């Protein structure tokens, strides 16, 4: 017997319809590429998303055709999120920090039909347009009078003229909720990039889950600043969850330096912000140097790479901001776990709470996880056993776009498919996940594993260290030994010996790095994470002093 409830597919268009009807005057504030601040509302976004849909309908596109963006976080990008997916096309957000050849490769692989870009990416478009035969129209996200005259880019139009003459009325089509809605290529540190192809259903379920009290705790009373880019896993789903609750969104545009981000937080009464640790590193540095405080910010979700405990403490103790440590990946839409305390933890002293908060957190309902040993046998949740982390759930990929890389799933005895995350982790009896490392970054020393994350966390807890990256280097006896590359804070001093001494008592003796390498900068990849592959290349001639 089937249930007798209405059969209504979960479609992204329903989010923007809801936001307009119930929170139509909710503010959307954007710092633009031009540098000024632009203000609109959920009602304004909804109206222009319908113009986008009408403009797309005039382009002889097929259902599921890909529309690409090379754009910062801003209101026009949000209109495309809804106009493109809502009308049945697939929004392909491209990471502009990738190399032009990679961008061209991705656009060709996705068979993008139209590409919309912020004017700051015009040089990139000029570099790639001739290599992207499937793209028949290039749309600059600007007013008609800002369109460059001699760009050399064929079929270039301004976004405002493209949607300007379109009707603001549009009936969002109804279709299968499993239809593709958007796509995002993984950075492809090994091999060619592969795309996660999200569906309306997966996006909607993720949007509900992300807003929950033990996840991002979003409400209509929030003012939300996604520093995490809309070109990287849909800004962790915030553009969708924000519409669901009707909160204010504040988009930082291209200005991601500490000063600009801080000023926007204060000017727009931001209560909740989201980003990777490197962004917050810059902001905390700026605040510390200038003796600044927050007036309304009360929590921030930090993920994408491990959040050092020193950062959690700095936010909490100096600024009274709760850090929600999160873990996820492109293939997971991206949220997997988020770290919030349980009721029984509230009475614990701050130090014991920090021990919990530095973990990546508990699984969000909808995500099933387990750790397994090399033979695929499930390991206990005792907080000690570490193994390969596998996940499954309705917003986790079952296959990459065009079947690239074959079947990625690992079947269990019941035939259920689990996605191997490539991470090594422990899970404690309370269900808190702790990422030990990416399996390719873990340091294998004398048959034991050393977590590069743990070694880095200790280094950045030293007052003179701004940034640290730990890699393994060849050792004739131990196979690999850890070394730590560090960037000092401006005007701060620390010697190799002092830093190595700082490790004593904080980790097992054999896990203390063999050497410290002082560097001017640590290479950062397209998604704001430390690029260990590049660091290994840079240090390829390095020899251990202990050999
Ligand atoms: P890529 O970096 O390959 O583009 P993602 O951006 O999807 O892919 O990154 C996913 C990976 O980032 C995870 O598998 C994990 O290794 C790492 N990661 C994400 N969040 C955290 C976190 N809070 N702590 C440690 N590692 C994290």
């Amino acid at each position: 017997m089937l249930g007798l409830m209405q059969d209504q597919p979960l479609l992204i268009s329903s989010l923007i319809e809801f936001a307009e009807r119930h929170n139509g005057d909710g503010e959307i504030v954007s710092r633009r590429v031009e540098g000024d601040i632009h203000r609109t509302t959920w009602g304004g976004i909804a109206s222009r998303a319908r113009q986008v849909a009408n403009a797309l309908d005039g382009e002889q596109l097929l259902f599921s055709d890909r529309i690409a963006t090379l754009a910062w976080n801003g209101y026009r990008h949000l209109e495309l999120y809804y106009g493109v997916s809502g009308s049945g096309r697939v929004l392909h957000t491209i990471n502009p920090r990738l190399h032009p050849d990679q961008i061209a490769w991705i656009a060709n692989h996705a068979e993008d039909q139209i590409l919309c870009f912020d004017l700051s990416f015009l040089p990139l478009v000029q570099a790639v347009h001739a290599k992207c035969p499937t793209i028949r129209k290039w749309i600059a996200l600007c007013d008609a009078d800002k369109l460059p005259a001699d760009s050399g880019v064929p079929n270039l139009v301004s976004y405002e003229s493209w949607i300007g003459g379109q009707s603001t009325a549009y009936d969002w089509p109804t279709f299968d909720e499993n239809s593709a809605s958007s796509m995002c290529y993984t950075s492809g540190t090994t091999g060619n990039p592969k795309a996660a192809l999200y569906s309306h259903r997966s996006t909607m379920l993720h949007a509900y889950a992300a807003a929950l009290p033990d996840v991002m705790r979003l409400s209509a009373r929030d003012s939300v600043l996604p520093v995490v880019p809309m070109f990287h896993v849909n800004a962790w789903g915030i553009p969708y969850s924000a519409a669901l609750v009707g909160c204010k969104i504040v988009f930082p545009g291209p200005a991601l330096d500490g000063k600009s981000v801080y000023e926007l937080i204060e000017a727009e009464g931001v209560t909740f912000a989201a980003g990777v640790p490197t962004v917050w590193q810059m902001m905390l540095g700026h605040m510390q140097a200038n003796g600044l405080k927050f007036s309304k910010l009360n929590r921030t979700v930090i993920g994408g790479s491990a959040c050092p405990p020193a950062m959690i403490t700095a936010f909490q103790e100096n600024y009274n901001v709760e850090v929600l440590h999160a873990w996820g990946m492109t293939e997971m839409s991206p949220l997997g776990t988020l770290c919030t305390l349980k009721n029984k933890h509230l009475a614990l002293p701050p130090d014991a709470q920090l021990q919990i908060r530095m973990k990546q957190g508990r699984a969000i309902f909808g995500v099933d996880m387990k750790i397994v040993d090399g033979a695929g046998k499930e390991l206990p949740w005792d907080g000690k056993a570490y193994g390969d982390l596998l996940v499954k759930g309705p917003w986790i990929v079952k296959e990459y776009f065009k079947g690239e890389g074959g079947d990625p799933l690992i079947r269990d005895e019941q035939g259920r498919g689990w996605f191997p995350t490539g991470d090594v982790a422990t899970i404690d009896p309370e269900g808190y996940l702790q990422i030990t490392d990416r399996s390719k970054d873990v340091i294998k020393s004398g048959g034991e594993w050393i977590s590069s994350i743990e070694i880095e966390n200790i280094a950045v807890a030293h007052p003179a260290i701004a940034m640290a990256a730990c890699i393994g280097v060849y050792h004739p006896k131990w196979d690999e030994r850890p070394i730590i590359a560090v960037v000092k804070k401006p005007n701060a001093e620390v010697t190799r010996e002092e830093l190595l001494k700082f490790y004593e008592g904080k980790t097992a003796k054999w896990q203390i790095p063999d050497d410290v390498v002082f560097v001017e900068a640590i290479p950062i990849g397209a998604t704001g994470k430390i690029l260990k592959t590049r660091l290994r290349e840079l240090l390829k001639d390095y020899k251990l002093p202990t050999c």
Side-chain angles (χ1 to χ4, degrees):
M1 183 159 63
L2 292 177
L4 293 174
M5 308 311 277
Q6 295 181 10
D7 188 11
Q8 192 175 304
L10 296 172
L11 297 177
I12 287 172
S13 53
S14 64
L15 287 175
I16 194 68
E17 281 189 311
F18 182 87
E20 179 180 37
R21 194 165 167 81
H22 297 276
N23 296 293
D25 62 353
E27 277 187 289
I28 309 292
V29 179
S30 313
R31 194 195 293 276
R32 299 205 291 183
V33 172
E34 296 88 326
D36 62 344
I37 297 286
H38 175 275
R39 291 180 185 276
T40 182
T41 59
W42 278 112
I45 297 288
S47 174
R48 283 164 52 96
R50 291 192 292 268
Q51 288 182 297
V52 169
N54 279 319
L56 288 168
D57 281 1
E59 297 286 348
Q60 282 86 44
L61 294 161
L62 301 175
F63 187 70
S64 292
D65 265 350
R66 270 76 67 202
I67 310 299
T69 60
L70 273 172
W72 299 109
N73 291 6
Y75 65 103
R76 290 180 177 125
H77 209 171
L78 189 63
E79 291 157 13
L80 288 163
Y81 261 56
Y82 285 104
V84 171
S85 302
S87 67
R89 284 87 190 197
V90 176
L91 183 81
H92 173 202
T93 51
I94 304 182
N95 186 337
R97 297 195 183 115
L98 296 174
H99 188 275
D101 287 347
Q102 269 175 312
I103 292 179
W105 189 95
I106 284 174
N108 286 324
H109 189 265
E111 299 168 56
D112 294 332
Q113 302 293 309
I114 293 176
L115 188 144
C116 307
F117 64 98
D118 271 327
L119 272 186
S120 44
F121 302 123
L122 179 63
L124 206 48
V125 166
Q126 286 168 324
V128 300
H129 74 84
K131 299 178 196 156
C132 300
T134 62
I135 300 180
R136 44 179 140 132
K137 190 167 228 160
W138 301 83
I139 298 175
L141 296 169
C142 64
D143 289 313
D145 61 350
K146 297 271 176 2
L147 200 64
D150 305 314
S151 67
V153 180
N155 303 319
L156 177 67
V157 296
S158 86
Y159 178 78
E160 295 302 335
S161 55
W162 184 56
I163 66 167
Q166 300 293 337
S167 164
T168 56
Y170 186 79
D171 277 335
W172 296 109
T174 299
F175 42 79
D176 184 343
E177 64 183 17
N178 289 300
S179 305
S181 58
S182 65
M183 70 197 301
C184 189
Y185 281 74
T186 62
S187 51
T189 35
T190 52
N192 279 329
K194 297 194 281 285
L197 185 62
Y198 311 112
S199 68
H200 284 258
R201 175 185 157 80
S202 71
T203 305
M204 293 291 285
L205 294 175
H206 185 272
Y208 278 115
L212 284 171
D214 266 347
V215 189
M216 293 197 196
R217 202 196 306 156
L218 293 179
S219 82
R221 293 164 297 289
D222 273 315
S223 168
V224 173
L225 176 84
V227 181
V228 52
M230 290 166 84
F231 57 72
H232 189 218
V233 216
N234 303 323
W236 298 348
I238 291 173
Y240 306 114
S241 296
L244 184 146
V245 300
C247 62
K248 171 176 175 178
I249 309 187
V250 182
F251 288 122
L256 302 179
D257 60 286
K259 181 170 185 287
S260 305
V261 172
Y262 171 78
E263 286 175 359
L264 203 55
I265 288 177
E266 285 306 284
E268 299 301 329
V270 169
T271 55
F272 172 69
V276 296
T278 39
V279 164
W280 301 132
Q281 194 78 47
M282 291 191 283
M283 193 184 68
L284 291 177
H286 170 74
M287 292 179 69
Q288 205 180 3
N290 296 285
L292 302 168
K293 294 276 181 211
F294 293 117
S295 40
K296 296 223 170 110
L297 189 76
N298 61 59
R299 66 198 193 285
T300 168
V301 60
I302 303 185
S305 45
C307 178
M311 186 175 282
I312 301 178
T313 314
F315 264 115
Q316 207 117 354
E317 288 178 5
N318 304 344
Y319 305 109
N320 206 18
V321 170
E322 183 185 5
V323 169
L324 306 169
H325 194 190
W327 167 83
M329 58 197 310
T330 306
E331 288 88 338
M332 300 176 70
S333 303
L335 292 178
T337 65
L338 205 121
C339 198
T340 52
L341 301 183
K342 293 184 180 177
N343 191 35
K344 62 174 139 183
H345 300 136
L346 297 179
L348 291 176
D351 256 14
Q353 288 192 354
L354 179 65
Q355 291 308 310
I356 301 172
R357 288 191 181 280
M358 60 189 264
K359 297 188 176 191
Q360 278 74 7
R362 293 181 280 133
I364 299 165
F365 174 74
V367 174
D368 237 353
M369 59 185 189
K370 66 176 178 179
I371 42 174
V372 298
D373 66 13
K377 192 169 140 287
E378 187 163 357
L379 293 166
W381 290 20
D382 59 8
K384 293 188 191 77
Y386 52 82
D388 293 320
L389 177 61
L390 310 184
V391 289
K392 68 178 182 63
W395 57 79
I396 297 169
V397 294
K398 64 175 173 195
E399 198 181 321
Y400 290 100
F401 182 53
K402 293 186 172 170
E404 286 304 330
D407 178 2
L409 304 187
I410 294 173
R411 312 275 151 198
D412 63 17
E413 281 156 6
Q414 287 82 36
R416 294 173 306 192
W418 292 77
F419 180 80
T421 62
D423 288 330
V424 175
T426 61
I427 305 176
D428 72 18
E430 300 281 351
Y432 286 83
L433 170 87
Q434 183 158 28
I435 302 288
T436 308
D437 229 326
R438 283 189 156 193
S439 54
K440 54 183 187 292
D441 292 337
V442 80
I443 295 149
K444 293 163 189 119
S445 176
E448 294 288 344
W449 285 13
I450 300 174
S451 155
S452 67
I453 293 177
E454 195 183 325
I455 304 304
E456 288 157 7
N457 282 346
I458 297 173
V460 295
H462 190 285
I465 301 299
M467 219 174 167
C470 173
I471 56 168
V473 291
Y474 171 74
H475 188 284
K477 179 166 175 204
W478 304 111
D479 290 337
E480 265 186 342
R481 287 296 301 154
I483 60 164
I484 184 96
V486 293
V487 180
K488 283 189 282 194
K489 284 187 185 159
N491 308 321
E493 273 315 319
V494 60
T495 64
R496 170 187 185 276
E497 285 65 33
E498 282 162 356
L499 190 59
L500 292 179
K501 191 144 184 53
F502 186 69
Y503 276 89
E504 287 175 16
K506 298 189 176 70
T507 185
K509 225 170 164 187
W510 60 272
Q511 298 191 342
I512 296 178
D514 278 15
D515 200 9
V516 178
V517 181
F518 291 96
V519 290
E520 289 295 312
I522 285 175
I524 301 288
T527 55
K529 304 182 193 195
I530 292 172
L531 255 193
K532 297 232 172 139
T533 39
R534 181 87 191 99
L535 184 65
R536 285 191 198 99
E537 267 167 45
L538 292 173
L539 296 176
K540 68 178 181 329
D541 297 326
Y542 170 87
K543 292 260 170 335
L544 277 174
T546 42
C547 293

